[in-house]
Amino acid sequence: MVTEKSFTAGSEFPALAKGTLRHYSMRFCPYAQRSRLVLAYKKIPHELVNVDLKDKPDWFLARSAQGKVPCIEVDGKCLVESLIISEYLDEAYEPKNALFSNDPWKKAEQKILIEQSTEMTGPFYTLLRNSEGQKEATEKLANFLRKYEKNLKGDFFGGDHPDAVDYMIWPWFERLGVLSEQASFDFSATEFPLITAWWNRMAADETVKATMFDQSTHTAFVRSFLAGKPNYDIGLD
């Protein structure tokens, strides 16, 4: 079994058996968590290799030219980009248990809701870094949450169970609690009752529980990240 600790520059490439699906990741990366959620939901056999994103091994850069996670590899072929990987895994493994809809129109609607989650990234990190524009970032993030509050029609975006939308947007919602400690943003149950209830249901979901960290662990990582010395191996010593 490959260690959960992050591989750094100069580390030896861990041998990969033929036919084995490998997922290159970083434990706290929200994009890598997307594909880890699909792997967990579909119970896809795979091997996990975590990478130090500040000091990347050459063998990783040979597989992910831009040095980004997630990246998957099987039999010498590699894919990058979280949504592309997640959709590939959804189609290639257990297609009868699909997260993305088989109906082209509904699938397009799912992708629109997923794409809108990119609006969260900028204001999230502005607030996290306590950068200029805190007021504007707070309003942008609140508007983002209002969109999802409006679009949530059932227990989940997938209706009575999570679908691709729920799992693809979850990583950012998992990290919202960090903003209450590191910044001035308050994720209010009064203003967002539907999303708050959804958050609680998602946090109790077995697939989510298999990939998530608690708020204190996320906060510890964020503090190391903001200090310029990200500790990718928190909790593994």
Side-chain angles (χ1 to χ4, degrees):
M1 179 180 176
V2 177
T3 177
E4 280 191 66
K5 288 194 172 184
S6 302
F7 284 82
T8 61
S11 60
E12 184 178 349
F13 175 69
L16 179 59
K18 184 177 180 180
T20 299
L21 173 68
R22 175 175 284 175
H23 184 258
Y24 297 98
S25 182
M26 188 277 275
R27 294 167 69 226
F28 299 100
C29 175
Y31 294 99
Q33 189 179 2
R34 281 176 160 178
S35 42
R36 287 193 293 115
L37 282 161
V38 179
L39 288 164
Y41 174 77
K42 298 212 149 193
K43 298 180 172 57
I44 300 171
H46 67 285
E47 184 178 86
L48 182 69
V49 170
N50 288 312
V51 177
D52 185 326
L53 297 183
K54 289 271 285 185
D55 192 21
K56 302 162 189 167
D58 288 341
W59 48 258
F60 172 67
L61 292 170
R63 288 159 173 79
S64 176
Q66 293 181 313
K68 297 195 300 185
V69 293
C71 170
I72 59 170
E73 177 180 9
V74 62
D75 292 338
K77 298 183 292 185
C78 296
L79 284 178
V80 294
E81 300 295 344
S82 62
L83 287 180
I84 291 172
I85 290 172
S86 296
E87 190 171 355
Y88 163 76
L89 294 173
D90 193 45
E91 292 180 358
Y93 298 86
E94 298 293 336
K96 291 181 180 179
N97 193 25
L99 289 167
F100 286 92
S101 176
N102 292 321
D103 177 80
W105 187 271
K106 185 166 185 211
K107 187 174 185 178
E109 290 180 328
Q110 287 178 310
K111 288 187 172 183
I112 288 170
L113 283 173
I114 293 168
E115 179 62 26
Q116 286 177 349
S117 68
T118 59
E119 297 173 21
M120 187 176 183
T121 308
F124 182 90
Y125 284 104
T126 295
L127 291 169
L128 204 60
R129 293 186 172 104
N130 200 22
S131 306
E132 289 185 16
Q134 293 282 298
K135 184 177 179 180
E136 182 183 2
T138 297
E139 186 54 33
K140 282 184 177 179
L141 192 53
N143 284 336
F144 163 84
L145 293 173
R146 289 182 192 112
K147 286 182 182 179
Y148 282 96
E149 181 83 7
K150 181 180 178 180
N151 280 285
L152 183 60
K153 306 299 183 184
D155 285 348
F156 301 96
F157 289 94
D160 60 0
H161 62 276
D163 72 357
V165 176
D166 297 276
Y167 289 134
M168 294 302 99
I169 69 174
W170 169 254
W172 285 269
F173 282 89
E174 181 177 314
R175 290 155 177 78
L176 278 180
V178 178
L179 293 182
S180 67
E181 295 188 18
Q182 295 293 116
S184 57
F185 188 82
D186 180 27
F187 179 39
S188 168
T190 302
E191 186 174 1
F192 307 109
L194 299 181
I195 287 296
T196 300
W198 169 84
W199 194 101
N200 291 328
R201 285 188 288 269
M202 286 294 288
D205 177 74
E206 291 302 318
T207 295
V208 168
K209 288 196 291 186
T211 70
M212 76 182 297
F213 290 103
D214 60 29
Q215 185 171 316
S216 62
T217 304
H218 275 303
T219 299
F221 172 73
V222 165
R223 287 175 178 167
S224 73
F225 172 78
L226 293 175
K229 297 179 180 180
N231 183 356
Y232 302 115
D233 296 334
I234 287 174
L236 297 181
D237 295 327

